[in-house]
Amino acid sequence: MTTIQDLQSLYNQGELSKCLESLNPFLLVNPDSFEALLLKAKCEYQLASQSFNTDRNDTSLYATAYHSFEYVLKFQPAHEEAMLYAAYINIFVTQDNLPEARVYCDILALSENEDTRLKAIGYRRQVNFMLDHMELVLEDIELMITHYKALYPANRSILDKELSLLYLEKTNIYLWHKEDALKVFQTYREGKAYPHHNYLTHNAVALLALDYQRLELAGEAAFMAFTYSDDQPHQELIDLYQKINELNDKSKLNKLLVHSLIIALRRFSEHLKADKIEILSLSLSYMKVYPDWDVPYHFAGTFLFDEQKYNEALPYLKKSLEMGGMARGLRRYIDAACRATGQLPGIESLPADSPEAYYAAGCDFYYESIPKIWTEELAEELQELKIKFYEVSYEGFYEYFYANAGESLANEIHTFAMCCNNYGIALTEIGNFEKAAEVHAIGYALSPFWEQLNSWGTALKGLEKYEEAIEIFEIASTYSSDYLSFSDYLRIKAEILDMTYKLGRNEHTYEILDAITEEYDSFLESNKNELTENELFELSEQYIIIQNVRHDLLSKGSPEDAIKAWQNELVKNPDDNSAWFMLMQEYYIIKDYNQCIACADNYQSVKKDAIQDTSRCKIHYMRGLSYMNLGNYEMAITDLNALIAPLQVVYPDNEYELSRAYLHLADCYFELKKWDNCNKAAFEAIQCYIRNNWSWDEELLKVKLQYADALYSTGAKGEALENVKNILEAYPANADALQRKKEWKTGLFSFLKF
């Protein structure tokens, strides 16, 4: 027999249709079961909600649910949950029986349950608005303000969010329904502590305040309107700009009206058909009016910076920061100083700006400034500055959300979460995994998105907390394709696979590997013709991590089995870069150099011009070394010479691989006794050591001897002897150098050379 507990369990699991089907026979046997009647009404309501999301015009299922709740209320007229549902359907969906819905709200507004009471007042507010009873709406708004202040005295983020909406609604009622300018101004002032981002209301208040010559309030509202609007030239904003501009022609404006005017000019100059130079002119003119105000200096510097006049921008930006400044002004100042002087400026103090502003400045610094001013010498300082921008933003947000302090405008919870992601990534880059993991955990709790999970998992992996990292990556992998591309999904699954292997769970690693391989093959089969070359390359790059784990697993067996496995991978997907490289490597390991060369040739014939520089490096290196081992030095030289250019592209800041290419080239030329070429290759290899301040090792000793021999053989005997002398200073007992010293000491005054 089905019990009410069974039915409730189906409802809780979301099996709504099954629950409703089971309820009908249950109610035939138990027609007076109040729990079953209420559950039936709730099932119908949930199914109506699902249907309504698909078809906004179909309210029939809601009507059915409403009648079921009304039937429930015949049994228990004071049942609060049923009244709430019935009132909601009447007010927000069908809009029938509004007076009856208001009666329900009046009863529920006296509930002992705080949540029920707040919902009821909110519902009643909507009913009174629909019935055009604005005084009653205002009474309910005041009642809700009082309730929220009592409910959240120590949680500013929730209190600000709720009260900002209530003050917005109250302001709009006085603006559009009561048309009471004085009440608009009073309400706007009261609501300043709980600011909202509705630019239209700010815009309307600013226009009204200008009509009444309330210039201070007009400036506050105009600044908010222009700050929180998008970049589209909405007519309301243009009207506001024109009105402020007209006033500017007649008299000098207060600071916030000037600030608003400049923001509008920056955003809408094209639409206004205004010359951008007006921004500079306006800024310069108000420097004289307000000589101790940072904003005109900031915008003068910003204008010149945008025009790429960095030397001219620098003094204005610096002056702005000395007077207070803004976070984005600091970013431009650092950028301009670096372009103008080649050095980063000293920062004496940071502007007192909002967390959102520092987050935006950090993003600008990372995406716009660093790529243009980066040098190897500045790399560490630039990284520290990037972290500082995000750190200041993070601390400001944290102060607001967790310490109930700071600016009320710091209530953008998703911006805080994005700041956590960027800040955490930057911390991970410098190896501060512990702090990064803490920051990402906070960010994900605030506003979940898969990128945060990915960054969090990376930090945990850096801490070698593999079990925790796997859990985080598993959650990230469940995001739908609307948010997560297959390439990103593949990388996340690759991380899970890699860490599972690191934990020594080989059997589970094989299971994951098989599942990923099947998904990858299936995706390529279905989508390959639609994917661009770049998309295919990106997929193959992500698949390399997976193939590396496959290689590690295969390395536990025989090379022959590994070769068969990689051949099978290539049968399924001939474009798989990593499979080609792994097969080359396996042949190289077993010293089957001819097969390694053949594999590289086949790869080139398959990929042709689509080969990327990274892949080009691997081909030429493996094939070049294979030719060397076979003694075919001429062919080896061809590959090794072809290796130089792509290495400089792939590793622009790391010369290790480049040095090895030159070492091998010197070897080949040495064997062929092509002394001029040997001389050049050996010299380049030695220069890599000198530039990077690498210590002596066997590789350097060998190439120095080759360099000496090449010099001697091309007639530069003095230089050759100097090179041998240099070797003996580092290795006094080196037999090869001593032998050359002995053999090359000829001539009447040869004893003077050492």
Side-chain angles (χ1 to χ4, degrees):
M1 291 288 290
T2 302
T3 66
I4 191 67
Q5 289 78 17
D6 296 331
L7 296 167
Q8 186 66 54
S9 178
L10 287 172
Y11 179 84
N12 293 340
Q13 294 168 23
E15 299 281 352
L16 301 174
S17 298
K18 194 172 180 180
C19 180
L20 195 57
E21 288 171 11
S22 302
L23 270 164
N24 291 324
F26 182 88
L27 283 167
L28 287 174
V29 180
N30 306 281
D32 297 330
S33 170
F34 180 80
E35 293 89 348
L37 289 169
L38 179 61
L39 193 58
K40 178 176 181 288
K42 288 164 68 175
C43 267
E44 290 169 344
Y45 172 84
Q46 297 295 344
L47 288 168
S49 299
Q50 293 177 2
S51 174
F52 193 61
N53 287 335
T54 305
D55 183 359
R56 308 297 289 184
N57 296 315
D58 184 10
T59 61
S60 58
L61 290 177
Y62 272 117
T64 302
Y66 172 76
H67 290 305
S68 293
F69 283 117
E70 286 286 286
Y71 189 70
V72 167
L73 289 168
K74 288 180 181 178
F75 284 82
Q76 288 191 22
H79 193 272
E80 292 187 349
E81 187 179 16
M83 272 195 282
L84 267 179
Y85 274 110
Y88 179 88
I89 293 170
N90 269 342
I91 298 164
F92 295 99
V93 183
T94 62
Q95 298 179 1
D96 295 329
N97 303 321
L98 292 179
E100 178 186 89
R102 188 167 62 186
V103 171
Y104 285 153
C105 292
D106 287 338
I107 296 169
L108 292 167
L110 302 174
S111 171
E112 293 181 2
N113 183 286
E114 185 75 48
D115 187 52
T116 299
R117 197 159 61 244
L118 281 170
K119 283 182 180 177
I121 298 170
Y123 292 0
R124 186 173 65 189
R125 196 173 88 240
Q126 180 66 19
V127 172
N128 285 327
F129 186 87
M130 293 163 71
L131 295 173
D132 201 29
H133 296 162
M134 295 303 159
E135 288 297 336
L136 294 176
V137 175
L138 290 168
E139 287 179 16
D140 279 337
I141 288 174
E142 287 301 323
L143 193 56
M144 292 195 75
I145 288 172
T146 303
H147 272 295
Y148 278 120
K149 284 182 177 179
L151 195 58
Y152 300 111
N155 193 326
R156 280 188 61 199
S157 62
I158 295 178
L159 183 65
D160 287 353
K161 179 183 176 183
E162 297 296 343
L163 294 196
S164 70
L165 295 174
L166 290 169
Y167 276 106
L168 169 62
E169 185 177 351
K170 188 176 177 182
T171 303
N172 281 334
I173 288 172
Y174 284 125
L175 264 170
W176 310 115
H177 298 277
K178 306 289 284 183
E179 297 184 0
D180 187 334
L182 295 181
K183 284 290 187 181
V184 169
F185 301 151
Q186 180 187 335
T187 304
Y188 192 82
R189 288 283 192 204
E190 291 172 359
K192 272 182 63 179
Y194 316 102
H196 60 81
H197 295 172
N198 188 304
Y199 80 90
L200 287 171
T201 297
H202 289 302
N203 198 94
V205 171
L207 286 168
L208 188 63
L210 287 172
D211 287 339
Y212 280 76
Q213 291 296 300
R214 297 285 194 92
L215 298 188
E216 183 182 345
L217 189 141
E220 293 171 2
F223 178 76
M224 295 291 284
F226 288 122
T227 298
Y228 289 104
S229 64
D230 55 30
D231 288 329
Q232 296 303 311
H234 302 288
Q235 189 57 49
E236 298 88 353
L237 295 167
I238 300 302
D239 291 343
L240 178 57
Y241 165 80
Q242 299 289 9
K243 202 159 190 175
I244 298 172
N245 199 38
E246 288 169 12
L247 189 62
N248 183 49
D249 291 338
K250 300 171 187 174
S251 63
K252 297 300 180 184
L253 304 176
N254 64 41
K255 288 182 177 181
L256 280 175
L257 283 171
V258 175
H259 200 158
S260 302
L261 202 60
I262 298 175
I263 292 174
L265 267 174
R266 271 180 59 78
R267 288 192 176 184
F268 310 131
S269 58
E270 186 175 340
H271 179 81
L272 294 167
K273 296 179 181 177
D275 193 328
K276 288 183 180 180
I277 198 72
E278 286 185 38
I279 297 170
L280 182 60
S281 300
L282 192 62
S283 299
L284 293 173
S285 67
Y286 275 97
M287 284 178 196
K288 299 171 185 175
V289 180
Y290 299 114
D292 298 325
W293 187 32
D294 64 311
V295 169
Y297 290 94
H298 167 86
F299 281 107
T302 296
F303 172 80
L304 293 165
F305 179 91
D306 291 344
E307 295 295 309
Q308 300 182 13
K309 297 178 179 179
Y310 303 114
N311 283 299
E312 296 176 49
L314 204 52
Y316 291 111
L317 292 170
K318 184 177 182 182
K319 185 74 171 175
S320 170
L321 292 170
E322 288 171 356
M323 294 177 174
M326 305 178 201
R328 281 185 153 170
L330 175 62
R331 191 279 295 188
R332 293 186 181 99
Y333 173 64
I334 295 168
D335 190 317
C338 195
R339 292 175 194 258
T341 68
Q343 295 180 328
L344 293 170
I347 309 297
E348 294 182 6
S349 61
L350 298 173
D353 212 336
S354 68
E356 293 97 330
Y358 268 100
Y359 170 71
C363 292
D364 290 346
F365 188 65
Y366 176 63
Y367 290 108
E368 296 178 26
S369 294
I370 290 179
K372 294 170 184 173
I373 63 177
W374 189 93
T375 65
E376 191 172 348
E377 293 75 22
L378 296 176
E380 189 173 338
E381 290 178 86
L382 291 172
Q383 177 77 348
E384 289 173 1
L385 285 167
K386 178 180 73 173
I387 291 173
K388 178 55 70 175
F389 278 113
Y390 291 138
E391 179 186 10
V392 174
S393 175
Y394 172 82
E395 289 176 349
F397 276 122
Y398 191 91
E399 188 80 355
Y400 175 81
F401 281 99
Y402 292 95
N404 294 310
E407 288 190 24
S408 292
L409 280 172
N411 58 12
E412 286 298 303
I413 197 165
H414 188 64
T415 306
F416 184 15
M418 292 191 294
C419 172
C420 288
N421 190 46
N422 288 15
Y423 182 36
I425 291 170
L427 290 168
T428 291
E429 288 171 352
I430 63 170
N432 192 347
F433 303 118
E434 195 77 49
K435 180 66 175 177
E438 174 193 321
V439 168
H440 288 306
I442 289 171
Y444 187 72
L446 289 164
S447 180
F449 51 92
W450 77 264
E451 292 92 342
Q452 189 91 254
L453 288 168
N454 178 62
S455 306
W456 188 6
T458 302
L460 290 169
K461 186 180 181 183
L463 291 169
E464 298 185 2
K465 294 182 178 181
Y466 297 140
E467 285 95 344
E468 292 178 47
I470 287 170
E471 287 180 21
I472 297 299
F473 279 122
E474 287 284 12
I475 298 169
S477 71
T478 62
Y479 275 69
S480 73
S481 57
D482 292 338
Y483 303 97
L484 189 67
S485 70
F486 186 76
S487 177
D488 290 322
Y489 169 81
L490 193 65
R491 181 170 49 77
I492 289 169
K493 297 297 281 187
E495 293 285 9
I496 294 169
L497 177 71
D498 182 49
M499 286 184 287
T500 304
Y501 177 75
K502 284 182 167 67
L503 287 168
R505 300 169 183 169
N506 289 349
E507 186 175 340
H508 189 36
T509 303
Y510 272 114
E511 291 173 5
I512 298 172
L513 180 61
D514 290 343
I516 297 175
T517 302
E518 186 176 339
E519 287 182 280
Y520 180 69
D521 293 343
S522 175
F523 180 82
L524 283 181
E525 186 177 347
S526 302
N527 300 282
K528 190 171 183 179
N529 293 333
E530 286 75 41
L531 295 171
T532 65
E533 285 294 333
N534 283 338
E535 288 169 334
L536 285 169
F537 173 71
E538 180 63 25
L539 279 174
S540 68
E541 287 296 294
Q542 304 304 346
Y543 201 55
I544 286 174
I545 303 172
I546 295 165
Q547 297 292 53
N548 284 338
V549 175
R550 191 190 305 276
H551 171 266
D552 291 340
L553 289 168
L554 289 169
S555 66
K556 297 178 183 297
S558 69
E560 290 74 21
D561 289 340
I563 287 170
K564 287 178 183 176
W566 293 120
Q567 287 172 336
N568 289 335
E569 287 293 300
L570 287 170
V571 169
K572 290 187 297 181
N573 181 18
D575 286 332
D576 184 358
N577 294 338
S578 51
W580 281 107
F581 300 139
M582 295 300 182
L583 186 56
M584 286 181 219
Q585 186 172 307
E586 291 297 336
Y587 282 130
Y588 190 86
I589 289 170
I590 64 172
K591 299 183 179 180
D592 192 340
Y593 301 121
N594 285 313
Q595 283 291 359
C596 182
I597 292 166
C599 190
D601 290 342
N602 288 336
Y603 176 77
Q604 272 190 305
S605 67
V606 169
K607 299 294 282 187
K608 298 186 173 64
D609 295 336
I611 298 176
Q612 303 286 328
D613 283 321
T614 306
S615 302
R616 204 178 304 281
C617 289
K618 293 174 183 175
I619 293 169
H620 291 307
Y621 186 77
M622 294 294 293
R623 190 166 57 193
L625 262 62
S626 293
Y627 277 126
M628 275 186 70
N629 283 301
L630 290 171
N632 191 340
Y633 299 112
E634 292 286 1
M635 292 298 290
I637 287 167
T638 301
D639 269 310
L640 292 169
N641 271 322
L643 179 60
I644 302 299
L647 275 177
Q648 290 171 331
V649 173
V650 176
Y651 305 108
D653 308 311
N654 187 338
E655 292 193 317
Y656 175 74
E657 297 296 343
L658 183 66
S659 70
R660 297 197 61 76
Y662 282 123
L663 288 169
H664 294 313
L665 270 171
D667 260 349
C668 291
Y669 286 127
F670 185 84
E671 293 294 335
L672 293 172
K673 294 183 170 48
K674 292 189 173 183
W675 302 116
D676 283 331
N677 298 107
C678 182
N679 183 328
K680 293 173 185 175
F683 176 79
E684 292 294 342
I686 293 165
Q687 287 303 303
C688 286
Y689 274 81
I690 294 170
R691 281 194 298 270
N692 292 281
N693 199 27
W694 292 336
S695 58
W696 282 75
D697 59 14
E698 292 300 317
E699 299 275 9
L700 180 59
L701 175 60
K702 180 180 178 182
V703 80
K704 291 276 273 183
L705 287 166
Q706 290 173 339
Y707 184 50
D709 287 347
L711 288 168
Y712 189 84
S713 298
T714 54
K717 295 182 180 180
E719 290 180 57
L721 287 166
E722 282 297 321
N723 200 64
V724 170
K725 178 182 177 182
N726 180 252
I727 294 170
L728 289 170
E729 286 174 358
Y731 296 91
N734 183 267
D736 292 325
L738 288 170
Q739 182 181 352
R740 284 165 175 73
K741 172 185 174 181
K742 180 180 178 181
E743 291 176 355
W744 294 348
K745 277 182 62 177
T746 57
L748 183 62
F749 301 106
S750 60
F751 63 89
L752 295 176
K753 295 179 182 178
F754 285 90

